[in-house]
């Protein structure tokens, strides 16, 4: 006789989608609404996940406004909170100007005034990619893994960057210095 299968737990997927004008104000608003939405979903303002997501959204939105702008067209932000990760997607309508793929991003020349945004995304996101979109355009998708709690309820390390392990403490603040 075999044991009955364990009941499957429902998976809650939360989605936030918003279109913004392809202007610096639209990019700034995307970052602010990201922080508000994460707070509404229970990810505390000032936590590592919140700060990482804000930086990733700021860079991707700035790129959409600067490099993906088509006059009269908006860009779209989509946040998806699912089991274990936060997915950030920024879509614009310019298909002919694709950013470099992960692994192909090169450091900017020290005197260049731009060219560092995707380096930050590459350093902060756990995974990212560039997707073609139909109708014409592209989506840059970045995923940020959420910290896992152990059986005692304490948060496990979740970010490894430049030899550091960052923690999120129970108050929602950063457990270590980022050195910025």
């Amino acid at each position: 006789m075999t044991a009955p299968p364990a009941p499957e737990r429902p998976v809650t997927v939360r989605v936030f989608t918003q279109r913004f004008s392809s202007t610096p104000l639209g990019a700034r608003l995307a970052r602010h609404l990201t922080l508000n939405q994460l707070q509404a979903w229970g990810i505390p303002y000032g936590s590592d996940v919140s700060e990482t997501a804000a930086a990733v959204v700021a860079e991707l939105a700035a790129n959409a406004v600067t490099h993906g702008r088509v006059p009269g067209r908006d860009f779209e932000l989509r946040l998806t909170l699912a089991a274990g990760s936060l997915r950030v997607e920024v879509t614009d309508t310019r298909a002919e100007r694709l950013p470099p793929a992960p692994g192909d991003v090169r450091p900017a020349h020290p005197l260049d005034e731009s060219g560092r945004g995707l380096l930050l995304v590459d350093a902060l996101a756990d995974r990212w990619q560039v997707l073609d979109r139909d109708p014409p355009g592209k989506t840059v998708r970045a995923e940020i893994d959420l910290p896992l709690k152990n059986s005692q309820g304490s948060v496990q390390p979740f970010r490894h960057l430049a030899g550091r392990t960052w923690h999120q403490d129970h108050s929602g603040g950063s457990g270590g210095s980022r050195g910025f």
Side-chain angles (χ1 to χ4, degrees):
M1 179 169 189
T2 61
E8 291 186 26
R9 289 182 155 175
V11 175
T12 301
V13 176
R14 296 179 174 135
V15 179
F16 170 83
T17 304
Q18 180 70 48
R19 301 190 113 205
F20 299 93
S21 64
S22 291
T23 63
L25 178 61
R28 188 169 56 241
L29 186 57
R31 180 184 173 281
H32 286 291
L33 287 179
T34 294
L35 291 170
N36 271 355
Q37 189 60 51
L38 294 179
Q39 179 75 29
W41 286 342
I43 297 175
Y45 180 80
S47 67
D48 281 345
V49 171
S50 176
E51 293 297 315
T52 299
V56 168
V57 167
E59 294 303 331
L60 295 182
N63 283 354
V65 167
T66 304
H67 305 294
R69 184 176 186 274
V70 174
R73 301 285 176 98
D74 296 336
F75 73 92
E76 181 179 277
L77 168 69
R78 181 181 180 96
L79 304 173
T80 306
L81 183 64
S85 70
L86 172 68
R87 178 180 288 174
V88 174
E89 296 174 307
V90 174
T91 301
D92 64 52
T93 55
R94 181 165 251 169
E96 69 275 9
R97 294 190 69 183
L98 294 176
D104 293 337
V105 179
R106 300 288 174 244
H109 187 274
L111 299 178
D112 287 347
E113 293 184 12
S114 64
R116 293 167 183 82
L118 287 178
L119 285 171
L120 289 172
V121 171
D122 194 50
L124 293 172
D126 293 293
R127 292 164 298 287
W128 70 279
Q129 66 186 119
V130 180
L131 305 167
D132 287 324
R133 176 180 163 254
D134 190 35
K138 64 186 167 298
T139 298
V140 180
R141 174 186 292 164
E143 291 188 2
I144 301 162
D145 291 338
L146 301 177
L148 302 174
K149 292 189 177 188
N150 64 20
S151 60
Q152 289 81 31
S154 60
V155 175
Q156 298 297 304
F158 76 103
R159 174 77 63 219
H160 302 279
L161 181 63
R164 281 195 203 128
T165 301
W166 295 342
H167 300 267
Q168 179 181 1
D169 64 22
H170 294 289
S171 66
S174 177
S177 171
R178 294 184 181 204
F180 290 124

